[in-house]
Amino acid sequence: MSLDRRRLGLAALTLVAGGALRPHRASAQVAAYPGTRPVTIVVAWAPGGSTDFVARVVAQGMSRELGGNVVVDNRPGASGTVGHGSVARARPDGYTLLLGVNSTYAMSRHLFPNRGYDDDTAFVGIGRVAVSPIFLCVNPRIGVSNIAELIAKAKEAPGRMSYASSGAGSSAHLATELFLRSADISIENVTYRGGAPAVQALITNEVQVAMVDGVTALPLMQAGQILAIGVSTPARNPLAPTVPTIAESGFPGFEATSNFALLAPSGTPDAIVARLATAKDAVMRNPEVLERLRQNSIFPTPGTPEQWPAYFRAESSKWGELIRARGITTE
């Protein structure tokens, strides 16, 4: 046999052996993961909020599913972009994850162009996790009991009403702007430093309207301090079944919710992403987990790594178009 033929034969054997070993290496990698090393889920917001709550519920469940320690690390700042940026720069080995919310991964990218990372290429989606509804609320003293009456009142006295938002570019801000555009009405925005002072302003009638997340709104609704006239999800909220959806109140297709998703740095091995997705899905099928979330008006949403790119593109496009059309800035 000539030297060239011998070399070709050895090369072919190497390729065959390499191809045969790859699945075994991937299986071994998954079997050893996570081992004794903790997995960190980064939350880009301070402790105590809904994103932090969801992350801690998921972390506890995934610790059981993975047979390892999953912890939460809060890294707030710059509308969530500080925490997202830290995960974008992390080693893609499955030990640093992100519990992201659409106010950052789909909205902030259109408001903070100099974030230092690109959402399109920085992350791989493990999958959607849960959704939290937003209630369209009014102060009970303004004499409005439904969306039609709110629109009529706003048109009767344009510029006389105001709404509260918890920061420029926040979910509440953009959800309200989406509603105002849909209803073709003008209500002045008053920005507060966080959700708590924004809701307090609604309670005291300093502002007349506000979009309020479910976990905050429900007890205030029950106490009669605020009145919910619509909910932003496609279906009614089971914890407040008498409140109609905004969609059924004359705005078909209206949806503006907080969507939580589990992400990993781009380049994380497919086998690890699949392992994490399986664990995440198992957690979100656990009845105890579902009840803990439900009590806080948070509901599971199915989502696989394969479904993530299409969902992400659609969500980003939707909010980017609104931000441009309404001329929304962070200034």
Side-chain angles (χ1 to χ4, degrees), residues 11-324:
L13 286 172
T14 300
L15 287 171
V16 171
L21 285 174
R22 285 190 194 101
H24 296 293
R25 286 175 181 167
S27 298
Q29 187 180 34
V30 175
Y33 175 84
T36 58
R37 184 178 168 189
V39 175
T40 297
I41 298 179
V42 171
V43 172
W45 305 93
S50 57
T51 309
D52 178 71
F53 170 72
V54 173
R56 293 181 188 278
V57 172
V58 170
Q60 184 178 26
M62 289 187 71
S63 293
R64 293 192 299 267
E65 295 297 327
L66 295 173
N69 192 20
V70 182
V71 299
V72 173
D73 181 13
N74 298 87
R75 302 178 190 175
S79 297
T81 59
V82 169
H84 280 233
S86 71
V87 177
R89 295 185 293 271
R91 186 185 297 275
D93 54 10
Y95 290 95
T96 303
L97 310 177
L98 173 70
L99 198 287
V101 64
N102 58 338
S103 62
T104 302
Y105 65 69
M107 300 177 188
S108 290
R109 64 194 310 249
H110 302 288
L111 296 164
F112 299 92
N114 300 316
R115 301 180 312 288
Y117 64 91
D118 183 355
D119 294 272
D120 288 300
T121 57
F123 306 106
V124 58
I126 296 166
R128 296 175 66 189
V129 174
V131 62
S132 178
I134 304 174
F135 285 92
L136 175 59
C137 299
V138 297
N139 184 286
R141 285 178 279 173
I142 69 171
V144 164
S145 61
N146 56 52
I147 286 178
E149 291 176 359
L150 173 64
I151 293 172
K153 191 175 186 69
K155 289 185 174 180
E156 286 171 6
R160 296 283 300 276
M161 298 176 67
S162 58
Y163 76 87
S165 68
S166 55
S170 65
S171 294
H173 180 201
L174 294 184
T176 311
E177 288 294 325
L178 180 63
F179 170 72
L180 296 181
R181 184 175 73 165
S182 301
D184 191 25
I185 56 175
S186 177
I187 299 178
E188 182 181 355
N189 175 30
V190 180
T191 301
Y192 294 85
R193 296 179 64 85
V199 173
Q200 186 60 33
L202 178 64
I203 293 172
T204 60
N205 204 26
E206 185 175 314
V207 297
Q208 293 72 51
V209 183
M211 287 280 193
V212 185
D213 66 88
V215 66
T216 302
L218 285 165
L220 298 175
M221 291 158 52
Q222 292 164 0
Q225 293 181 285
I226 62 176
L227 175 66
I229 59 174
V231 66
S232 64
T233 42
R236 294 194 181 197
N237 190 308
L239 301 181
T242 61
V243 178
T245 67
I246 297 174
E248 72 181 273
S249 301
F251 305 96
F254 186 97
E255 184 175 0
T257 56
S258 294
N259 282 279
F260 307 99
L262 194 61
L263 309 174
S266 183
T268 301
D270 291 345
I272 297 296
V273 171
R275 176 78 175 93
L276 289 165
T278 298
K280 182 263 297 180
D281 289 345
V283 171
M284 299 310 293
R285 289 193 298 269
N286 185 304
E288 293 181 4
V289 169
L290 298 180
E291 183 57 26
R292 283 187 67 190
L293 294 174
R294 179 184 177 278
Q295 289 174 358
N296 286 271
S297 193
I298 296 170
F299 304 93
T301 51
T304 66
E306 294 75 21
Q307 293 168 333
W308 172 256
Y311 162 76
F312 166 71
R313 286 193 298 270
E315 190 74 357
S316 175
S317 176
K318 169 183 175 176
W319 296 111
E321 189 276 328
L322 176 73
I323 287 167
R324 290 187 295 272

Side-chain angles (χ1 to χ4, degrees), residues 2-17:
S2 69
L3 182 60
D4 287 343
R5 286 186 177 181
R6 188 175 299 167
R7 285 174 176 168
L8 287 171
L10 288 172
L13 286 172
T14 300
L15 287 171
V16 171

